Amino acid sequence: MSENDNLQDADGKKEVESTEATPKVQTEIKTEVPSEIEKLEEETSSAEQVTEHTTEVVKDDLVDEIEASNAEDAEDESNAERHEVEEKDYHAMTMDELVAETSRLLERHKVQTISKHINEIKSEFNAKFSELLDEKKEEFIEEGGNEIDFYYTNDTKKQFNSLYKDYKQNINAYYKEREQNLKQNLENRLQIIEDIKGLLGVEENMGTTYKNFKELQDKWRTAGPIPRDKYNNAWNTYHHHVERFYDFLHLNNDLRDMDFKHNYDQKLKIIERAEELAEDENTNRSFRELQVLHKLWKEELGPVGKEHREEIWERFSKATKAIHDKRQAYFADMDKAHEKNLERKEEIIAQITAIAEKKSTSHSAWQNNIKEIETLRDAFFKAGKVPLKVNEGTWAKFKGAVRTFNRGKNSFYKDLKKDQFDNLKKKKDLIQIAEDNKDGEDFATITPLMKKIQDEWKKIGHVPRRDSDKIWKQFKKACNHYFDRMHQERKAKDQHLFDAFDKKVKLLDQLKTLELTEDPKADIKTLQEKIAEWKEIGYVPQNKRYIDGKFYKAIDDAFDKVKMDKSKVEMIKFESKLENLADPNDTRLLDNEYNFIKKRIDEIKSEINQLENNLQFFSNVKSDNPLVKDVHKNIAKHKTDLDTWKAKLTKVRGMYS
């Protein structure tokens, strides 16, 4: 402990800027206060050069931590409640348990008190989800999927993301709301300091001056929280001028000595409690209460007589150091425990690796292996924390061992289809539902049910091959029986639409089997006649309009086969498309096509400009250079495309006239 210690400052010691052990608040208080603080510090330093308090004492690391923690609490007095938030072993929790714990913290605690817990939970959740993601990717690739197409999430992940988003919004709102209050409180405290300075040398009744001083002290105690980075300077400057005032009171020693005695008695009680805490075996509890004692010493009590200052501070400092030493020993024991946890986790990884290397050939053997791996996984998470320096490496080794096991398991079950008999039972249940409802008359109720069981059928998966065709035919027959009846009912109302649909189905089938000749003009005429015939048929039921898309795709495929200049074919196809878009009562589709073409023309022009600019880099290169030739070829192709798109734009404009 040094003369610069903030707690000693309460007794007139010299102040210095503290080193904070906690993260700085994201919101910066932008104010002119720092310059005022610097001015007050200069006055403090100047005044203290003539004081008698020059004893050098070594500052304890624990006090640094206490100062930083109390400074953090100074920004929000309720922030001290973070010590009361229960710390749990998040590493041992499942993802669902981590989500539940996050929800509990957000519901039961102030957002500024749980940042440490939320960040630890986030780290553990992301690590566990990463492991699950790797496992799912392995399964996806094993089943023939392309890695680039892989995507996976689940409800637990979505729920956690939602909770974490709420936390971020709440903590940001908290910082935003707090900023102005901190600024104003700091300004109020600086004004109180100025008012105390103004009491020095006042030519009035000393009792009145002393009363004004006590009122200013009361105002200081209730002035509210201030920014943590201004906390120590403000308190030290305040205590300096408080001591100056007491020195000014030398003409009225009774008033000063009465305060000194009160402060001395209260500080003795604090020292006695600190000495009791030094004997407490619960180091965390001792530290938290010691932090409160230091705060009381500094914030609630003023100076004592000069003859007692060094004595009581040395005694308080000794108790603080005893707690510090015990706490350091506790952390040393914890480090040893972490090393033992590491040994246990290494053993678990070795056991998982051994199981992964087994050549099991039966379903029962693999089931036993799976159970063993799950037990080992749980044991790994419950084994506790390991030294921070090897945490990532240990986690990577664990994931690698589990991944190796999963690859073997997935390979074994790829052909086994262990759940096929369960699927068979589920599909038979769906057949029974279809049979029971196939003759129902309540189409509004039964139709969604029949569609639902069809979707469920698709999701169930494979059944034994010997039963596959049989149950499918049975299910399809019942479903077709119902939907045929339903369609007949609807056809009675909209028969002309269904007739049109039937005609379009036949025309589409004809188009699919159409064989083109060697005469491009004749082929184009044939296709145009097909388009005209299609439009002539008219509308189909709303739920059958997908057939129009199939027809025009088939038409495009047929045009692509015509042996004719592709640009001309493209324009013919486009003209056919425009006829389909034309509607005198609604130009929205035509407007969309117009805007699309305009945008495409601009894009092609931009691409041509870029290519022509690129040619400038080849000014000293021969024209037969392959790169130069490719650029020229590309420009020519883009210009051809540009002409085609311009022609399309002209066609569209003509449709508006």
Side-chain angles (χ1 to χ4, degrees):
M1 186 68 64
S2 74
E3 65 179 9
N4 296 324
D5 179 71
N6 289 325
L7 303 173
Q8 186 106 335
D9 288 333
D11 290 332
K13 299 303 175 185
K14 186 178 177 182
E15 62 85 23
V16 295
E17 184 175 348
S18 67
T19 303
E20 294 185 2
T22 54
K24 289 189 178 294
V25 178
Q26 298 171 357
T27 306
E28 181 181 355
I29 307 300
K30 297 181 179 180
T31 174
E32 297 301 319
V33 169
S35 61
E36 181 66 16
I37 287 289
E38 292 171 2
K39 181 178 71 174
L40 295 176
E41 288 180 314
E42 290 174 1
E43 294 177 4
T44 303
S45 177
S46 175
E48 288 176 338
Q49 289 176 1
V50 296
T51 65
E52 298 176 0
H53 307 298
T54 57
T55 304
E56 293 288 341
V57 189
V58 178
K59 188 173 185 179
D60 195 286
D61 292 338
L62 180 60
V63 178
D64 280 333
E65 187 175 350
I66 291 174
E67 288 176 3
S69 187
N70 284 339
E72 182 177 358
D73 293 346
E75 290 184 331
D76 182 344
E77 293 168 343
S78 64
N79 191 42
E81 296 174 16
R82 71 189 188 279
H83 299 306
E84 300 172 8
V85 181
E86 180 183 1
E87 293 192 13
K88 298 183 178 180
D89 187 1
Y90 301 126
H91 187 62
M93 291 184 178
T94 65
M95 286 190 291
D96 288 333
E97 290 171 340
L98 290 172
V99 168
E101 179 63 10
T102 302
S103 178
R104 188 191 69 81
L105 288 171
L106 290 173
E107 289 175 359
R108 300 185 183 182
H109 298 280
K110 294 182 177 67
V111 69
Q112 67 270 28
T113 67
I114 59 174
S115 295
K116 173 177 175 289
H117 300 76
I118 293 294
N119 289 331
E120 287 184 7
I121 289 174
K122 181 175 183 287
S123 177
E124 288 295 341
F125 185 94
N126 286 344
K128 288 180 170 62
F129 185 78
S130 175
E131 180 198 9
L132 176 62
L133 201 64
D134 289 343
E135 182 178 338
K136 294 296 183 181
K137 182 184 288 187
E138 289 288 343
E139 292 177 0
F140 178 79
I141 296 173
E142 284 285 341
E143 293 173 0
N146 191 333
E147 183 175 357
I148 198 173
D149 297 326
F150 174 75
Y151 173 79
Y152 176 79
T153 189
N154 57 24
D155 291 340
T156 305
K157 174 65 171 173
K158 293 176 182 176
Q159 189 177 359
F160 180 79
N161 287 348
S162 177
L163 290 170
Y164 188 75
K165 181 180 178 181
D166 290 343
Y167 162 75
K168 293 297 290 183
Q169 290 174 343
N170 292 341
I171 195 68
N172 289 337
Y174 158 76
Y175 285 135
K176 185 175 181 180
E177 179 181 357
R178 191 190 58 185
E179 179 177 357
Q180 190 61 37
N181 292 336
L182 294 177
K183 177 181 176 182
Q184 185 59 52
N185 292 342
L186 180 58
E187 291 175 355
N188 293 342
R189 287 185 182 273
L190 292 177
Q191 184 58 50
I192 292 171
I193 292 173
E194 289 297 320
D195 292 342
I196 291 175
K197 289 166 60 179
L199 296 177
L200 302 179
V202 174
E203 298 294 332
E204 64 178 7
N205 181 275
M206 189 59 65
T208 301
T209 302
Y210 182 77
K211 180 181 178 182
N212 292 337
F213 170 73
K214 299 303 289 185
E215 289 175 352
L216 289 172
Q217 281 190 310
D218 290 338
K219 286 177 63 177
W220 177 270
R221 294 188 182 98
T222 60
I226 61 176
R228 74 175 73 171
D229 57 338
K230 307 300 187 299
Y231 173 77
N232 285 319
N233 285 346
W235 273 98
N236 294 334
T237 306
Y238 165 75
H239 281 296
H240 166 68
H241 290 293
V242 166
E243 285 200 344
R244 290 184 64 197
F245 178 80
Y246 277 115
D247 290 338
F248 172 68
L249 278 182
H250 68 281
L251 297 177
N252 194 332
N253 288 331
D254 290 340
L255 291 175
R256 182 183 62 176
D257 293 342
M258 183 172 59
D259 267 4
F260 280 177
K261 184 178 186 307
H262 169 76
N263 295 336
Y264 179 77
D265 292 340
Q266 294 302 313
K267 288 189 175 184
L268 285 180
K269 292 179 181 179
I270 290 176
I271 292 171
E272 289 169 359
R273 180 54 187 160
E275 290 170 344
E276 291 175 3
L277 292 176
E279 302 299 323
D280 193 336
E281 294 302 319
N282 189 325
T283 56
N284 287 330
R285 182 174 61 201
S286 298
F287 169 71
R288 288 196 294 271
E289 187 171 344
L290 180 66
Q291 180 179 331
V292 175
L293 295 178
H294 275 253
K295 189 172 184 179
L296 290 173
W297 184 289
K298 179 174 184 177
E299 298 181 9
E300 298 297 328
L301 300 174
V304 299
K306 293 183 179 180
E307 69 275 15
H308 299 300
R309 290 176 185 174
E310 293 295 337
E311 170 195 350
I312 64 170
W313 175 249
E314 288 296 330
R315 187 176 168 189
F316 189 36
S317 178
K318 182 178 179 181
T320 297
K321 186 176 186 304
I323 295 174
H324 173 264
D325 292 341
K326 187 173 290 187
R327 194 161 181 260
Q328 289 297 101
Y330 166 79
F331 285 128
D333 290 340
M334 187 178 294
D335 289 339
K336 293 179 181 178
H338 289 172
E339 290 291 342
K340 290 185 178 179
N341 295 343
L342 175 61
E343 294 177 5
R344 173 59 181 147
K345 288 193 171 184
E346 292 283 2
E347 292 174 1
I348 293 172
I349 293 171
Q351 289 176 275
I352 293 174
T353 302
I355 294 174
E357 292 173 352
K358 288 182 181 179
K359 303 299 181 181
S360 301
T361 58
S362 68
H363 170 69
S364 60
W366 273 103
Q367 288 298 302
N368 290 333
N369 290 344
I370 291 171
K371 291 178 181 178
E372 288 183 36
I373 292 295
E374 286 300 318
T375 300
L376 290 170
R377 287 182 78 258
D378 290 341
F380 182 88
F381 291 124
K382 293 177 181 178
K385 296 181 179 180
V386 300
L388 185 61
K389 62 184 178 182
V390 297
N391 183 56
E392 290 186 7
T394 305
W395 179 249
K397 288 168 65 176
F398 169 73
K399 288 200 298 182
V402 173
R403 188 183 299 118
T404 300
F405 171 80
N406 287 332
R407 286 174 179 169
K409 177 193 67 175
N410 294 339
S411 177
F412 175 80
Y413 282 109
K414 185 176 181 180
D415 299 321
L416 189 57
K417 308 298 183 185
K418 62 181 178 60
D419 57 344
Q420 288 184 349
F421 287 100
D422 291 338
N423 293 342
L424 178 61
K425 181 180 182 304
K426 293 176 183 177
K427 289 193 172 183
K428 285 183 176 180
D429 291 341
L430 296 182
I431 292 173
Q432 186 62 50
I433 295 174
E435 293 283 359
D436 292 342
N437 291 278
K438 67 179 182 179
D439 293 315
E441 298 294 336
D442 186 359
F443 295 112
T445 302
I446 299 176
T447 299
L449 174 63
M450 297 297 279
K451 290 182 177 180
K452 179 182 177 183
I453 63 175
Q454 286 180 326
D455 289 337
E456 290 178 0
W457 182 281
K458 296 175 183 178
K459 295 176 182 177
I460 289 175
H462 297 294
V463 299
R465 184 174 299 178
R466 65 178 181 272
D467 300 301
S468 180
D469 290 341
K470 177 183 175 181
I471 64 171
W472 167 244
K473 290 177 181 178
Q474 192 176 354
F475 182 72
K476 183 180 179 182
K477 180 180 178 181
C479 291
N480 287 348
H481 176 82
Y482 170 78
F483 284 110
D484 288 344
R485 290 179 53 253
M486 184 193 71
H487 292 153
Q488 289 173 5
E489 179 76 15
R490 291 183 178 177
K491 279 186 177 182
K493 297 179 181 178
D494 301 313
Q495 187 59 47
H496 64 289
L497 296 177
F498 287 96
D499 291 342
F501 177 74
D502 293 338
K503 291 178 182 179
K504 286 193 172 184
V505 169
K506 292 180 181 179
L507 182 56
L508 179 59
D509 291 339
Q510 293 173 11
L511 181 60
K512 289 180 179 179
T513 58
L514 178 66
E515 294 185 4
L516 300 179
T517 67
E518 296 296 323
D519 184 353
K521 292 183 178 180
D523 290 337
I524 289 174
K525 182 179 179 182
T526 299
L527 294 176
Q528 289 176 330
E529 289 173 350
K530 294 293 183 184
I531 294 172
E533 184 179 353
W534 184 272
K535 295 183 66 176
E536 184 68 23
I537 293 174
Y539 292 107
V540 299
Q542 179 73 27
N543 63 339
K544 302 291 185 182
R545 290 185 181 179
Y546 62 84
I547 199 170
D548 288 329
K550 290 187 175 182
F551 174 78
Y552 283 104
K553 183 180 185 305
I555 282 289
D556 286 345
D557 293 341
F559 271 118
D560 290 339
K561 297 177 182 178
V562 174
K563 296 182 178 178
M564 188 176 181
D565 182 81
K566 295 304 178 184
S567 61
K568 293 181 179 180
V569 173
E570 181 68 23
M571 289 304 301
I572 295 172
K573 287 167 57 178
F574 183 70
E575 290 172 357
S576 300
K577 179 180 180 181
L578 287 183
E579 292 179 8
N580 189 47
L581 296 177
D583 186 343
N585 299 320
D586 188 353
T587 64
R588 285 179 296 177
L589 294 176
L590 200 61
D591 293 341
N592 290 339
E593 188 67 22
Y594 178 83
N595 292 331
F596 172 76
I597 294 173
K598 288 270 294 179
K599 180 180 178 182
R600 185 62 187 134
I601 288 174
D602 291 340
E603 290 173 350
I604 294 175
K605 286 180 178 179
S606 176
E607 291 169 358
I608 291 173
N609 289 336
Q610 182 62 48
L611 289 169
E612 289 177 342
N613 288 337
N614 290 346
L615 282 176
Q616 297 178 9
F617 294 102
F618 299 100
S619 57
N620 297 324
V621 181
K622 294 182 179 179
S623 59
D624 60 350
N625 183 282
L627 291 176
V628 176
K629 291 172 69 177
D630 283 345
V631 174
H632 281 294
K633 183 178 179 181
N634 207 357
I635 292 174
K637 179 180 180 303
H638 278 69
K639 288 183 176 180
T640 301
D641 290 344
L642 182 61
D643 292 339
T644 301
W645 284 101
K646 286 181 176 179
K648 288 183 179 181
L649 186 63
T650 301
K651 292 286 184 183
V652 174
R653 286 172 175 163
M655 296 296 292
Y656 288 100
S657 59

